[in-house]
Amino acid sequence: MRARRPDVVIVTSGHDVADARLHREVAALLRVGLTVQVRGLGDVSGGPPGADVHVRPRRAGMGRILTAVRAALQARGDVLITLDPDAALTCASLARLRRSALVVDVHEDYGRLLLDRGWARGWKARAAQLGVRLATAAAARADLTVVADDHVPPAAARQRLVVPNVPDATMIPAGGAPADAPLRAVYVGDLRETRGLYDMVEAVAGAPDWSLDLVGPMSEADGQWLARRLQEGTLAARVTWHDRLPPRAAWQVASRAQVGLSLLHPTPAFVAAMPSKVYEYLACGLAVLSSPLPRVVELLDESGAGEVVSSADAAAAVLTRWAGDRAELARVQAGAAARGAVLRAAGNAYDGMARRVAELAAVSARGRRASGPRR
């Protein structure tokens, strides 16, 4: 018997199936009764619960483009959702042929993001920027264009919906460790120098009362650096790298901490953004220690949920102060928990997207039935 065509197929050539935004979107789609297939990278076991998950090996360069093409060719759903520029281009070419609606999720400013990539130099940078421009144009023509923030392009689209990277409270336990428990800081997200990897390790090196959990993928070069650095002093006993984990498992690790770290560098991609991890730390009840990104500074100043630091030494100093004054740490955690409760009460930002996708799926299915046999 031929398998039933899924309502929604999510196609990504660059995201692991354990990606947090992917999990949040799938959970919302399932809540409105849609069937969901995911075609991405990584390990099937890390994929969103309830979805039909298919994975391919991670490849770079032309290999990634071929991955996008193959995944698009195999994607047969009433709605196709893409998460990357290359997947957007390939699925845009096939969606009409497949009688599918197209949803493009642009959850980062990819043009600015390329400025943070060491490989994006010379002709590679020019080719990548051209690809981003073409993908942005394809996103603007999609049946629904989802963006993660107001400043994320395309600014104009047929149907544009802002779905910020806010937490799904069902995936995050409320309340971190109490201030009088063993002191732990945590980071959840991709790990590299510009995302604060080196600064976080050095901060904990300078605050010997603290341990650090790092949850997220890391390049081989950064992993080698971390292995060398952990051979010095007591760091090997205090720093744990968990690699990539599905969201629910990642936040179980985070729930044992008091502080969430977000020491992102002021790159073009980050300086205008609100890191999703900051919202997630607050939802988990963690005090936030952040680099001085403007929107985070405003949030922490208003909420009293953390502090802003401009260097690893400054971060170490704050951690050391909190270790010596657990009452102050408890007050900051209380501020974080209060703001986290507001985030939890605000409802799920992904449910609105899911309802729009359900409408597109219904229209697409009716159109297929009226046009004849499905492909």
Side-chain angles (χ1 to χ4, degrees):
M1 178 180 290
R2 189 172 186 177
R4 178 181 179 273
R5 174 175 169 134
D7 298 319
V8 179
V9 181
I10 300 178
V11 179
T12 172
S13 55
H15 286 70
D16 195 282
V17 294
D19 178 78
R21 186 172 172 97
L22 171 60
H23 275 242
R24 294 192 290 263
E25 290 180 349
V26 170
L29 294 167
L30 294 174
R31 282 194 294 270
V32 297
L34 298 173
T35 57
V36 182
Q37 183 182 94
V38 175
R39 293 189 171 274
L41 311 177
D43 191 322
V44 169
S45 64
D52 174 26
V53 180
H54 300 257
V55 297
R56 289 183 177 275
R58 183 178 295 274
R59 295 191 173 124
M62 285 301 300
R64 173 168 165 162
I65 295 173
L66 290 174
T67 295
V69 171
R70 290 178 182 134
L73 288 171
Q74 294 171 341
R76 297 172 183 269
D78 292 325
V79 179
L80 305 185
I81 300 179
T82 70
L83 302 184
D84 325 275
D86 36 9
L89 283 171
T90 53
C91 285
S93 303
L94 289 169
R96 298 299 177 263
L97 175 64
R98 294 284 163 77
R99 305 174 192 173
S100 303
L102 178 65
V103 177
V104 178
D105 180 11
V106 189
H107 51 277
E108 292 182 284
D109 185 334
Y110 297 119
R112 290 185 177 183
L113 192 67
L114 285 173
L115 301 177
D116 179 36
R117 296 294 185 261
W119 59 264
R121 301 290 183 269
W123 69 268
K124 291 183 179 180
R126 292 191 292 274
Q129 289 288 0
L130 174 61
V132 166
R133 288 194 293 272
L134 292 173
T136 301
R141 295 192 298 270
D143 297 288
L144 178 63
T145 307
V146 177
V147 295
D149 211 330
D150 290 321
H151 72 276
V152 173
R158 290 174 58 190
Q159 295 290 329
R160 188 174 188 269
L161 178 66
V162 179
V163 180
N165 272 321
V166 292
D168 181 338
T170 65
M171 300 181 186
I172 300 179
D180 58 357
L183 293 171
R184 302 193 73 86
V186 68
Y187 172 89
V188 180
D190 289 353
L191 286 157
R192 62 173 67 94
E193 182 177 5
T194 56
R195 288 183 178 264
L197 171 61
Y198 299 2
D199 294 328
M200 291 186 290
V201 173
E202 297 304 334
V204 171
D209 293 317
W210 289 81
S211 297
L212 172 63
D213 290 296
L214 299 169
V215 184
M218 188 185 310
S219 72
E220 183 178 355
D222 287 330
Q224 292 172 350
W225 174 86
L226 180 63
R228 291 193 300 270
R229 186 65 181 89
L230 294 188
Q231 294 174 6
E232 303 173 29
T234 64
L235 281 177
R238 296 192 290 121
V239 177
T240 303
W241 176 39
H242 298 268
D243 208 337
R244 190 193 300 271
L245 294 174
R248 288 174 176 82
W251 293 106
Q252 285 297 327
V253 173
S255 69
R256 302 196 296 265
Q258 293 93 351
V259 174
L261 300 179
S262 181
L263 304 184
L264 306 183
H265 291 191
T267 67
F270 296 154
V271 73
M274 170 59 79
S276 60
K277 61 182 56 60
V278 171
Y279 287 134
E280 291 167 325
Y281 293 153
L282 296 177
C284 197
L286 304 181
V288 177
L289 197 54
S290 173
S291 54
L293 301 180
R295 293 171 67 180
V296 184
V297 171
E298 182 180 0
L299 174 62
L300 296 184
D301 282 349
E302 185 272 331
S303 65
E307 291 202 20
V308 173
V309 293
S310 57
S311 68
D313 288 343
V318 173
L319 292 174
T320 300
R321 192 180 79 237
W322 283 344
D325 189 347
R326 300 291 186 101
E328 180 190 1
L329 176 59
R331 286 193 297 272
V332 179
Q333 285 183 271
R339 178 48 65 98
V342 172
L343 289 170
R344 287 175 172 274
N348 194 304
Y350 296 86
D351 288 340
M353 171 189 171
R355 289 191 290 270
R356 297 281 290 274
V357 172
E359 293 169 1
L360 290 173
V363 171
S364 177
R366 287 197 298 269
R368 275 192 306 105
R369 288 194 294 267
S371 300
R374 71 184 181 183
R375 293 177 182 270

